[in-house]
Amino acid sequence: MKTVTLTPVGGDLDVTTGSTLVKGLLARDLKIDMACGGKGLCATCHVYVRQGGDCLTPRTPREERTLALVVGADPDSRLACQARVESDGAVVE
């Protein structure tokens, strides 16, 4: 298990190593939209990784294409359905 810090919600989120961020968020009963069913096509699970981006897997090509369509997306933008947690220390908004 790895730990991700949630902001501004507060608290820590335990996520199985190698699991997607969205699975951990849903396990904590947080309301996350996934209009595409977690395929990285819709950006409804968009989050910002404020610290520890290297604790997650790199963006996939599909994620890059989808984020390019999101107005105002920045280098900290990720799709929770595509970002897999590899180590402790990520701070997600």
Side-chain angles (χ1 to χ4, degrees):
M1 295 293 267
K2 301 301 180 204
T3 302
V4 174
T5 301
L6 301 178
T7 182
V9 175
D12 290 334
L13 174 69
D14 291 325
V15 181
T16 302
T17 305
S19 184
T20 60
L21 183 56
V22 79
K23 285 183 183 178
L25 294 168
L26 291 172
R28 188 162 169 195
D29 294 325
L30 295 172
K31 303 274 184 197
I32 301 294
D33 289 331
M34 288 191 317
C36 69
K39 294 182 174 102
L41 299 171
C42 67
T44 57
C45 66
H46 176 261
V47 296
Y48 292 102
V49 179
R50 297 303 186 193
Q51 283 182 272
D54 58 335
C55 299
L56 307 174
T57 55
R59 289 180 179 175
T60 64
R62 175 175 283 171
E63 183 178 9
E64 289 282 351
R65 285 190 303 273
T66 301
L67 287 172
L69 300 174
V70 178
V71 177
D74 65 27
D76 294 339
S77 291
R78 291 300 307 265
L79 300 180
C81 70
Q82 300 296 297
R84 295 188 177 277
V85 181
E86 295 187 322
S87 60
D88 294 321
V91 177
V92 175
E93 180 180 325

